[in-house]
Amino acid sequence: MDFSMVNWDTLIVRSVELLLNGLWCMSVLNLTLNVKMTKSKALLKWLVILGGIIAFYAAANIGMSFLTYTLANMGEQFLSRHFLLVLGVTAFYFLYNMLAMLLPILISFFGGMAVYKESFNIKAFASVFIGLCVFITYNYVYHLACIPFMETIEGTSDRALQSHWVGYLILALSLGAAYIIYRKKVCVPLKKLIETPDGRLDRFVKIPIISCLALALMISAMYTYGISPFTTNFQFILVYIAVFGCLVLAYGMLYWTIFRGISLSAQTMKNKAELDVANQLQASILPRSFPAFPDRKEFDVFASMKAAKEIGGDFYDFFFVDKDHFAVVIADVSGKGIPAALFMMSARTLIKNAAGTGKSPENTFIEANHRLCENNETGMFVTAWLGVVELSTGTLSFVNAGHNPPLLKQQGKEYIYLDHKTYKRSIMLGLRDNIQYKTNIIQLSPGDTLFLYTDGITEANDVNQSLYGEARLKSVLDHCSDTDPVEILGRVEEQVGAFVQDAEQFDDMTMLGFRLNALSQTLETEVTLEQTEVVSDFVEHFFRTKGFEDKIIYRLLIVTDEIFSNIVKYSHAGKAAIRCAINKNEMILVFEDDGVPFNPLDNLENEPEKRDP
């Protein structure tokens, strides 16, 4: 076999160029996917793949040289009589050129699949896309940059570089420039793309594969008909530049669209994740167990919040300051998302902590406002309403810090707004330090109902952008025959929903209802036999002043004496609290102590059998 017809010089040049392209693919894939094994092991795999593909190319090139030599010896007359043979050889040449152009892509693909540990779709997309980048750099940027340094080959219509070292230098510079552009402009969006879940990435994998095949097919067709940078025909060079340039521009716009879409999708997912976290933060701190205090019959409380897609900073709260004082809070933080949720948590904690120490509503807001103004670089603020009910007298003390005025229904009357026309109102919390808040005081009677809400209710709008408004809210409440907070809030939510219909909800809808059922008094005492008379006097005085008959009070005092005596004898308690209340015609008497828990119902099976008289 005569190897003299093989163009060893071209084979060596092409092999070195493949080696440079392969090293570029290795560097870029390491930058994109990161090596998950020892560097020596990864480098060894890369060298094996590079050596294998270069050897394959060398064998194919030598085979093509022998085929060309054989066809040349057949003569033109023989070939002219065998059209199908010529057609087959032309197709073979076409496929060979296409495969030769795809070699850099194959290096990138096989290297990416063999070296890295990511999922198949991630490795496939990144490897083929990076192979496409080196394909464009090598077949377009590098070849165009070489044109000024080419000279015509004697006796042919082709041109080539007279100095291979100049070609290697131009290729190295082209790949270096491509690496810098990739690192600064492409790497980050590509990482965002490949970091998407594998199930979503599979639809993108076919795009770089189709791109590579389409480019190789087009360039191979041009090369087959002599349209390339290596021809002396200037028109052919212009056609090559125009066609390849248009393809590169089209694919550049395609991938820019993909990366742009992925970037926007990632931002959307991030925003959604923030909203989900904010929703969870918001929901986690709100009391949601109802009835909240089943043993306290003196009042009913119920609250709800319907969160919007774009979460705000609404919150409500209710808690005992002590056994005789009950606080209700509703507030709305400016802003949306995580910042509003965090500011909401801070405001809620500050208000609850301050009020829990027994501070008046105005001093509670003064302290909370001071704390919120500290290091408030975001300029956020919160509108809030805080009310404290003295359960023994029905006295309601409240402060309004820029919040929507609540509605109050007293026995036999319509709802009225506790607005700034009648009651003092101050500015929001966190807006400015050293604000003096003023407490308002009103008297509640059993049966009175208080309705609190945020602007998500009154500013709810329908498809025509009409607001629900305060007038509609008052009308709905006035037509509620029941004063139970659960029924009231359900009715308002139903009516707001009917008004809004298909319009999108832009703000949280938060409501809180409080109804005073009865006035109560509590006696805290030491658990001793000497205090039995004190306890009896307390119970008798409370119910006698409420107008109950002597025979009923007498029977109740027997019960009181029996229960307290058992607490003294058997509970081992040190302190006890006796609470008296009236709910309509119902007498409420509650004993609490810090003794050993005991449930007499647990011991029914051990009771002695009753004897017949």
Side-chain angles (χ1 to χ4, degrees):
M1 182 177 292
D2 187 8
F3 288 94
S4 60
M5 73 286 298
V6 178
N7 189 338
W8 295 103
D9 187 54
T10 302
L11 180 60
I12 292 172
V13 170
R14 176 64 171 156
S15 298
V16 174
E17 291 174 351
L18 282 176
L19 178 63
L20 292 174
N21 285 328
L23 294 175
W24 189 88
C25 292
M26 179 180 69
S27 301
V28 173
L29 278 170
N30 284 344
L31 179 66
T32 305
L33 298 179
N34 299 320
V35 181
K36 300 299 182 182
M37 61 185 72
T38 60
K39 291 185 178 180
S40 58
K41 188 176 181 180
L43 181 60
L44 179 61
K45 285 189 175 183
W46 270 110
L47 292 178
V48 170
I49 292 168
L50 273 172
I53 291 180
I54 291 174
F56 170 77
Y57 168 73
N61 185 273
I62 293 173
M64 286 299 299
S65 298
F66 279 108
L67 178 61
T68 302
Y69 177 77
T70 302
L71 291 175
N73 290 333
M74 289 182 180
E76 294 183 2
Q77 293 182 353
F78 176 81
L79 294 176
S80 64
R81 293 195 301 269
H82 297 80
F83 174 75
L84 292 178
L85 176 62
V86 174
L87 184 62
V89 171
T90 302
F92 187 76
Y93 269 105
F94 182 83
L95 292 175
Y96 168 76
N97 287 333
M98 185 175 175
L99 180 62
M101 292 178 186
L102 288 173
L103 287 179
I105 300 172
L106 294 177
I107 292 173
S108 178
F109 177 78
F110 287 117
M113 300 304 290
V115 174
Y116 305 97
K117 298 297 184 182
E118 281 78 3
S119 65
F120 175 84
N121 287 335
I122 290 176
K123 292 190 292 187
F125 183 90
S127 301
V128 179
F129 176 77
I130 289 168
L132 177 64
C133 292
V134 76
F135 174 89
I136 293 173
T137 303
Y138 176 72
N139 286 282
Y140 194 65
V141 179
Y142 164 61
H143 287 164
L144 291 185
C146 287
I147 289 177
F149 302 95
M150 290 183 181
E151 295 182 1
T152 304
I153 301 175
E154 186 176 353
T156 68
S157 59
D158 295 331
R159 301 197 312 160
L161 286 169
Q162 295 300 311
S163 173
H164 300 317
W165 296 107
V166 172
Y168 297 150
L169 178 60
I170 294 175
L171 179 58
L173 293 174
S174 301
L175 293 175
Y179 180 85
I180 294 173
I181 294 173
Y182 177 87
R183 184 172 184 176
K184 292 187 175 181
K185 300 294 184 180
V186 182
C187 187
V188 172
L190 180 58
K191 281 187 175 182
K192 288 182 179 179
L193 176 63
I194 65 178
E195 286 171 0
T196 57
D198 191 64
R200 293 179 52 202
L201 187 62
D202 54 1
R203 55 185 167 179
F204 296 110
V205 172
K206 59 186 178 183
I207 296 177
I209 295 176
I210 295 173
S211 303
C212 294
L213 293 176
L215 276 176
L217 183 67
M218 182 65 67
I219 304 307
S220 178
M222 289 193 294
Y223 271 51
T224 301
Y225 294 99
I227 302 174
S228 73
F230 307 108
T231 179
T232 56
N233 189 323
F234 185 68
Q235 293 180 343
F236 282 1
I237 295 177
L238 291 180
V239 171
Y240 177 86
I241 294 173
V243 173
F244 207 148
C246 289
L247 289 173
V248 170
L249 180 61
Y251 282 114
M253 294 178 64
L254 170 65
Y255 284 100
W256 181 85
T257 302
I258 292 174
F259 293 155
R260 175 70 173 170
I262 291 296
S263 177
L264 293 176
S265 176
Q267 185 62 42
T268 301
M269 292 176 64
K270 179 183 177 183
N271 292 341
K272 184 179 182 303
E274 284 190 353
L275 292 177
D276 289 342
V277 171
N279 263 314
Q280 294 172 9
L281 288 173
Q282 192 176 39
S284 65
I285 68 170
L286 300 181
R288 291 181 176 272
S289 179
F290 298 100
F293 307 98
D295 60 326
R296 300 302 296 257
K297 305 297 184 181
E298 309 97 296
F299 63 89
D300 291 318
V301 63
F302 184 73
S304 69
M305 185 185 71
K306 183 179 179 183
K309 292 181 180 179
E310 293 236 351
I311 187 170
D314 283 13
F315 71 89
Y316 63 81
D317 202 0
F318 45 81
F319 51 90
F320 276 98
V321 176
D322 54 44
K323 292 185 179 297
D324 193 36
H325 292 84
F326 186 74
V328 291
V329 183
I330 194 164
D332 185 2
V333 176
S334 63
K336 303 288 184 182
I338 290 290
L342 295 176
F343 199 80
M344 173 200 71
M345 294 179 67
S346 177
R348 175 185 177 272
T349 302
L350 290 171
I351 292 173
K352 188 170 186 176
N353 289 346
T357 61
K359 287 184 171 65
S360 65
E362 64 181 68
N363 289 329
T364 295
F365 272 10
I366 289 173
E367 179 176 332
N369 178 64
H370 175 69
R371 297 298 183 187
L372 289 172
C373 288
E374 291 179 344
N375 302 319
N376 185 11
E377 297 178 356
T378 60
M380 301 185 73
F381 58 87
V382 54
T383 66
W385 192 96
L386 166 65
V388 178
V389 181
E390 189 175 28
L391 298 175
S392 60
T393 64
T395 302
L396 170 63
S397 304
F398 69 89
V399 175
N400 189 341
H403 196 72
N404 303 81
L407 292 107
L408 174 65
K409 176 179 176 58
Q410 295 180 309
Q411 286 281 13
K413 299 179 181 179
E414 292 185 346
Y415 279 90
I416 60 170
Y417 278 102
L418 305 181
D419 55 23
H420 66 281
K421 297 177 182 178
T422 308
Y423 301 97
K424 303 180 185 71
R425 180 184 179 187
S426 304
I427 68 170
M428 307 80 164
L429 302 175
L431 195 62
R432 191 173 71 247
D433 202 357
N434 299 320
I435 299 298
Q436 295 301 311
Y437 295 91
K438 300 296 183 180
T439 296
N440 300 278
I441 298 177
I442 58 177
Q443 187 64 40
L444 300 181
S445 300
D448 290 354
T449 301
L450 188 65
F451 179 80
L452 312 176
Y453 61 96
T454 61
D455 57 10
I457 299 294
T458 53
E459 294 182 6
N461 56 71
D462 60 10
V463 292
N464 298 318
Q465 301 301 309
S466 298
L467 296 181
Y468 188 72
E470 294 181 348
R472 281 192 181 90
L473 177 60
K474 181 179 182 304
S475 176
V476 170
L477 293 174
D478 285 335
H479 285 84
C480 286
S481 57
D482 198 337
T483 58
D484 179 22
V486 178
E487 296 296 328
I488 293 174
L489 268 62
R491 181 64 174 167
V492 172
E493 183 175 348
E494 177 186 339
Q495 290 299 309
V496 173
F499 173 80
V500 171
Q501 294 185 351
D502 296 330
E504 186 175 0
Q505 179 185 346
F506 289 102
D507 202 357
D508 297 341
M509 296 183 181
T510 306
M511 298 177 285
L512 186 149
F514 174 86
R515 180 178 66 182
L516 182 65
N517 297 325
L519 301 179
S520 67
Q521 288 185 8
T522 302
L523 172 67
E524 294 184 353
T525 180
E526 301 289 332
V527 180
T528 62
L529 285 175
E530 291 76 12
Q531 293 296 107
T532 304
E533 186 176 353
V534 175
V535 172
S536 297
D537 289 344
F538 167 75
V539 174
E540 180 181 5
H541 179 268
F542 178 84
F543 288 104
R544 192 175 297 281
T545 57
K546 305 303 180 186
F548 285 89
E549 298 178 0
D550 290 344
K551 62 179 181 179
I552 297 177
I553 295 175
Y554 175 73
R555 294 171 61 185
L556 188 61
L557 290 176
I558 295 175
V559 173
T560 301
D561 182 73
E562 180 69 20
I563 294 176
F564 190 75
S565 297
N566 279 291
I567 293 175
V568 173
K569 294 177 181 179
Y570 305 113
S571 70
H572 305 290
K575 292 183 181 297
I578 297 85
R579 186 171 71 255
C580 300
I582 301 172
N583 185 8
K584 298 181 180 179
N585 293 324
E586 179 184 13
M587 303 172 70
I588 301 172
L589 183 60
V590 179
F591 291 83
E592 297 178 356
D593 63 74
D594 58 359
V596 179
F598 173 74
N599 184 358
L601 299 178
D602 295 338
N603 296 283
L604 288 178
E605 297 179 357
N606 301 324
E607 286 187 355
E609 295 183 3
K610 295 183 178 179
R611 303 180 197 176
D612 294 331

